[in-house]
Tab-separated table of all heavy atoms in Angstrom:
chain	number	residue	atom	x	y	z
A	1002	ALA	N	98.514	9.981	10.839
A	1002	ALA	CA	98.205	11.350	10.283
A	1002	ALA	C	97.535	12.227	11.382
A	1002	ALA	O	96.732	11.749	12.160
A	1002	ALA	CB	97.431	11.234	9.130
A	1003	GLN	N	97.768	13.539	11.385
A	1003	GLN	CA	97.192	14.507	12.181
A	1003	GLN	C	95.993	15.019	11.437
A	1003	GLN	O	95.961	15.386	10.320
A	1003	GLN	CB	98.218	15.698	12.508
A	1003	GLN	CG	99.383	15.214	13.191
A	1003	GLN	CD	99.080	14.893	14.642
A	1003	GLN	OE1	98.785	15.778	15.487
A	1003	GLN	NE2	99.072	13.610	14.865
A	1004	ASN	N	94.855	14.905	12.115
A	1004	ASN	CA	93.527	15.275	11.419
A	1004	ASN	C	92.954	16.519	12.104
A	1004	ASN	O	93.283	16.951	13.222
A	1004	ASN	CB	92.607	14.102	11.556
A	1004	ASN	CG	93.195	12.855	10.914
A	1004	ASN	OD1	93.314	12.731	9.793
A	1004	ASN	ND2	93.453	11.808	11.835
A	1005	ILE	N	91.948	16.983	11.454
A	1005	ILE	CA	91.209	18.210	11.914
A	1005	ILE	C	89.687	17.804	12.104
A	1005	ILE	O	89.074	17.293	11.199
A	1005	ILE	CB	91.296	19.383	10.954
A	1005	ILE	CG1	92.862	19.802	10.893
A	1005	ILE	CG2	90.512	20.551	11.456
A	1005	ILE	CD1	93.022	20.934	9.824
A	1006	LEU	N	89.061	18.258	13.298
A	1006	LEU	CA	87.758	18.058	13.428
A	1006	LEU	C	87.070	19.453	13.459
A	1006	LEU	O	87.449	20.338	14.175
A	1006	LEU	CB	87.406	17.322	14.791
A	1006	LEU	CG	86.007	17.201	15.078
A	1006	LEU	CD1	85.251	16.196	14.088
A	1006	LEU	CD2	85.795	16.640	16.588
A	1007	GLU	N	86.067	19.784	12.520
A	1007	GLU	CA	85.382	20.978	12.494
A	1007	GLU	C	83.853	20.770	12.334
A	1007	GLU	O	83.450	19.805	12.015
A	1007	GLU	CB	85.987	21.824	11.354
A	1007	GLU	CG	85.876	21.056	9.871
A	1007	GLU	CD	86.518	21.803	8.917
A	1007	GLU	OE1	87.059	23.027	9.145
A	1007	GLU	OE2	86.576	21.371	7.734
A	1008	GLY	N	83.347	21.940	12.673
A	1008	GLY	CA	81.761	21.869	12.687
A	1008	GLY	C	81.285	23.106	13.286
A	1008	GLY	O	81.910	24.131	13.405
A	1009	SER	N	80.003	23.061	13.596
A	1009	SER	CA	79.292	24.235	14.215
A	1009	SER	C	78.253	23.709	15.179
A	1009	SER	O	77.723	22.598	15.012
A	1009	SER	CB	78.513	25.026	13.064
A	1009	SER	OG	77.622	24.285	12.430
A	1026	LEU	N	86.983	16.569	23.511
A	1026	LEU	CA	87.320	15.239	23.378
A	1026	LEU	C	88.018	14.689	24.515
A	1026	LEU	O	89.192	14.742	24.741
A	1026	LEU	CB	88.216	15.019	22.127
A	1026	LEU	CG	87.573	15.428	20.744
A	1026	LEU	CD1	88.651	15.793	19.785
A	1026	LEU	CD2	86.621	14.338	20.233
A	1041	PHE	N	83.567	25.766	15.231
A	1041	PHE	CA	84.828	25.271	15.990
A	1041	PHE	C	85.708	24.393	15.140
A	1041	PHE	O	85.316	23.982	14.011
A	1041	PHE	CB	84.400	24.422	17.157
A	1041	PHE	CG	83.696	23.058	16.794
A	1041	PHE	CD1	84.509	21.882	16.614
A	1041	PHE	CD2	82.376	22.981	16.562
A	1041	PHE	CE1	83.877	20.734	16.227
A	1041	PHE	CE2	81.762	21.862	16.309
A	1041	PHE	CZ	82.494	20.668	16.075
A	1042	ASN	N	87.012	24.421	15.492
A	1042	ASN	CA	88.018	23.824	14.830
A	1042	ASN	C	89.054	23.185	15.740
A	1042	ASN	O	89.646	23.960	16.477
A	1042	ASN	CB	88.611	24.669	13.795
A	1042	ASN	CG	89.814	24.038	13.029
A	1042	ASN	OD1	90.718	23.535	13.538
A	1042	ASN	ND2	89.653	24.145	11.640
A	1043	ILE	N	89.272	21.789	15.763
A	1043	ILE	CA	90.238	21.366	16.635
A	1043	ILE	C	91.273	20.541	15.711
A	1043	ILE	O	90.821	19.512	14.994
A	1043	ILE	CB	89.678	20.260	17.699
A	1043	ILE	CG1	88.463	20.936	18.472
A	1043	ILE	CG2	90.735	19.812	18.618
A	1043	ILE	CD1	87.786	19.925	19.453
A	1044	SER	N	92.556	20.915	15.820
A	1044	SER	CA	93.553	20.274	14.884
A	1044	SER	C	94.400	19.260	15.765
A	1044	SER	O	94.393	19.242	16.981
A	1044	SER	CB	94.365	21.299	14.329
A	1044	SER	OG	95.033	22.142	15.253
A	1046	LEU	N	94.633	15.842	15.612
A	1046	LEU	CA	93.972	14.617	16.156
A	1046	LEU	C	94.358	13.434	15.441
A	1046	LEU	O	94.483	13.389	14.219
A	1046	LEU	CB	92.482	14.821	15.962
A	1046	LEU	CG	91.899	16.143	16.624
A	1046	LEU	CD1	90.430	16.164	16.481
A	1046	LEU	CD2	92.182	16.242	18.158
A	1047	PRO	N	94.583	12.306	16.207
A	1047	PRO	CA	94.929	11.007	15.514
A	1047	PRO	C	93.694	10.372	15.111
A	1047	PRO	O	92.560	10.656	15.521
A	1047	PRO	CB	95.517	10.198	16.757
A	1047	PRO	CG	94.887	10.833	17.954
A	1047	PRO	CD	94.789	12.249	17.687
A	1048	SER	N	93.817	9.550	14.060
A	1048	SER	CA	92.696	8.741	13.590
A	1048	SER	C	92.086	7.716	14.661
A	1048	SER	O	92.866	7.364	15.583
A	1048	SER	CB	93.127	7.947	12.527
A	1048	SER	OG	93.680	8.775	11.369
A	1049	GLY	N	90.857	7.620	14.684
A	1049	GLY	CA	90.283	6.704	15.569
A	1049	GLY	C	88.825	7.058	15.826
A	1049	GLY	O	88.197	8.035	15.319
A	1050	ASN	N	88.127	6.386	16.813
A	1050	ASN	CA	86.756	6.554	17.204
A	1050	ASN	C	86.784	7.234	18.628
A	1050	ASN	O	87.377	6.583	19.549
A	1050	ASN	CB	85.935	5.362	17.231
A	1050	ASN	CG	85.705	4.738	15.858
A	1050	ASN	OD1	85.428	5.466	14.923
A	1050	ASN	ND2	85.981	3.436	15.753
A	1051	TYR	N	86.160	8.444	18.805
A	1051	TYR	CA	86.276	9.152	20.009
A	1051	TYR	C	84.950	9.788	20.478
A	1051	TYR	O	84.055	9.966	19.661
A	1051	TYR	CB	87.445	10.167	20.030
A	1051	TYR	CG	88.666	9.829	19.404
A	1051	TYR	CD1	89.139	10.093	18.195
A	1051	TYR	CD2	89.510	9.028	20.329
A	1051	TYR	CE1	90.422	9.694	17.731
A	1051	TYR	CE2	90.753	8.573	19.891
A	1051	TYR	CZ	91.111	8.812	18.579
A	1051	TYR	OH	92.378	8.390	18.194
A	1053	LEU	N	82.707	12.874	21.850
A	1053	LEU	CA	82.832	14.251	21.735
A	1053	LEU	C	81.817	14.854	22.648
A	1053	LEU	O	80.635	14.373	22.589
A	1053	LEU	CB	82.479	14.756	20.181
A	1053	LEU	CG	82.508	16.275	19.999
A	1053	LEU	CD1	83.863	16.949	20.185
A	1053	LEU	CD2	81.878	16.641	18.538
A	1065	LEU	N	78.453	12.523	21.626
A	1065	LEU	CA	78.409	11.950	20.299
A	1065	LEU	C	79.731	11.162	20.086
A	1065	LEU	O	80.737	11.592	20.476
A	1065	LEU	CB	78.312	13.035	19.199
A	1065	LEU	CG	78.596	12.618	17.785
A	1065	LEU	CD1	77.371	11.852	17.221
A	1065	LEU	CD2	78.731	13.806	16.856
A	1066	ARG	N	79.603	9.961	19.637
A	1066	ARG	CA	80.718	9.105	19.247
A	1066	ARG	C	81.009	9.374	17.806
A	1066	ARG	O	80.154	9.169	16.775
A	1066	ARG	CB	80.347	7.694	19.402
A	1066	ARG	CG	81.494	6.691	19.375
A	1066	ARG	CD	82.413	6.862	20.573
A	1066	ARG	NE	83.527	5.922	20.544
A	1066	ARG	CZ	84.446	5.946	21.460
A	1066	ARG	NH1	84.425	6.651	22.403
A	1066	ARG	NH2	85.394	4.957	21.372
A	1067	THR	N	82.215	9.909	17.499
A	1067	THR	CA	82.587	10.386	16.124
A	1067	THR	C	83.847	9.565	15.686
A	1067	THR	O	84.706	9.328	16.549
A	1067	THR	CB	82.731	11.798	16.138
A	1067	THR	OG1	83.044	12.359	14.745
A	1067	THR	CG2	83.921	12.304	16.937
A	1068	THR	N	83.928	9.597	14.352
A	1068	THR	CA	85.108	8.954	13.729
A	1068	THR	C	86.061	9.999	13.176
A	1068	THR	O	85.668	10.951	12.559
A	1068	THR	CB	84.624	7.858	12.670
A	1068	THR	OG1	83.863	6.971	13.159
A	1068	THR	CG2	86.062	7.401	11.925
A	1069	ILE	N	87.332	9.892	13.480
A	1069	ILE	CA	88.248	10.840	13.001
A	1069	ILE	C	89.306	10.115	12.092
A	1069	ILE	O	89.814	9.058	12.485
A	1069	ILE	CB	89.039	11.546	14.053
A	1069	ILE	CG1	88.001	12.425	14.871
A	1069	ILE	CG2	90.127	12.545	13.528
A	1069	ILE	CD1	88.587	13.028	16.145
A	1070	PRO	N	89.464	10.497	10.792
A	1070	PRO	CA	88.990	11.704	10.228
A	1070	PRO	C	87.490	11.674	9.746
A	1070	PRO	O	86.994	10.548	9.414
A	1070	PRO	CB	89.851	11.909	8.930
A	1070	PRO	CG	90.289	10.588	8.517
A	1070	PRO	CD	90.455	9.782	9.853
A	1071	SER	N	86.778	12.733	9.793
A	1071	SER	CA	85.363	12.766	9.479
A	1071	SER	C	85.223	13.181	8.023
A	1071	SER	O	86.030	13.880	7.474
A	1071	SER	CB	84.618	13.654	10.430
A	1071	SER	OG	85.074	15.001	10.260
A	1072	ASN	N	84.155	12.613	7.467
A	1072	ASN	CA	83.915	13.038	6.032
A	1072	ASN	C	83.308	14.353	5.743
A	1072	ASN	O	83.629	14.864	4.657
A	1072	ASN	CB	82.821	11.935	5.381
A	1072	ASN	CG	83.437	10.490	5.443
A	1072	ASN	OD1	84.648	10.383	5.207
A	1072	ASN	ND2	82.600	9.553	5.785
A	1073	ALA	N	82.718	15.072	6.688
A	1073	ALA	CA	82.202	16.332	6.539
A	1073	ALA	C	82.153	17.081	7.917
A	1073	ALA	O	82.164	16.307	8.943
A	1073	ALA	CB	80.823	16.121	5.933
A	1074	PRO	N	82.063	18.319	7.893
A	1074	PRO	CA	81.868	19.040	9.063
A	1074	PRO	C	80.641	18.628	9.859
A	1074	PRO	O	79.676	18.287	9.305
A	1074	PRO	CB	81.895	20.573	8.686
A	1074	PRO	CG	82.502	20.581	7.398
A	1074	PRO	CD	82.205	19.259	6.765
A	1075	LEU	N	80.799	18.690	11.249
A	1075	LEU	CA	79.624	18.265	12.156
A	1075	LEU	C	78.669	19.446	12.286
A	1075	LEU	O	79.123	20.651	12.505
A	1075	LEU	CB	80.079	17.833	13.391
A	1075	LEU	CG	80.993	16.544	13.427
A	1075	LEU	CD1	81.541	16.277	14.828
A	1075	LEU	CD2	80.197	15.370	12.983
A	1076	THR	N	77.382	19.193	12.446
A	1076	THR	CA	76.474	20.262	12.819
A	1076	THR	C	75.711	19.663	14.064
A	1076	THR	O	74.943	18.596	13.949
A	1076	THR	CB	75.436	20.504	11.758
A	1076	THR	OG1	76.010	21.116	10.652
A	1076	THR	CG2	74.393	21.654	12.305
A	1077	ILE	N	75.945	20.355	15.199
A	1077	ILE	CA	75.355	19.889	16.534
A	1077	ILE	C	74.363	20.870	17.045
A	1077	ILE	O	74.518	21.995	17.062
A	1077	ILE	CB	76.531	19.754	17.484
A	1077	ILE	CG1	77.546	18.679	16.867
A	1077	ILE	CG2	76.064	19.318	18.839
A	1077	ILE	CD1	78.828	18.610	17.763
Side-chain angles (χ1 to χ4, degrees):
Q1003 296 291 287
N1004 304 294
I1005 296 175
L1006 179 67
E1007 56 185 356
S1009 60
L1026 294 156
F1041 67 87
N1042 179 304
I1043 308 175
S1044 61
L1046 304 177
S1048 300
N1050 297 311
Y1051 306 106
L1053 179 70
L1065 171 70
R1066 194 71 178 174
T1067 185
T1068 300
I1069 297 174
S1071 57
N1072 295 325
L1075 299 174
T1076 300
I1077 297 167

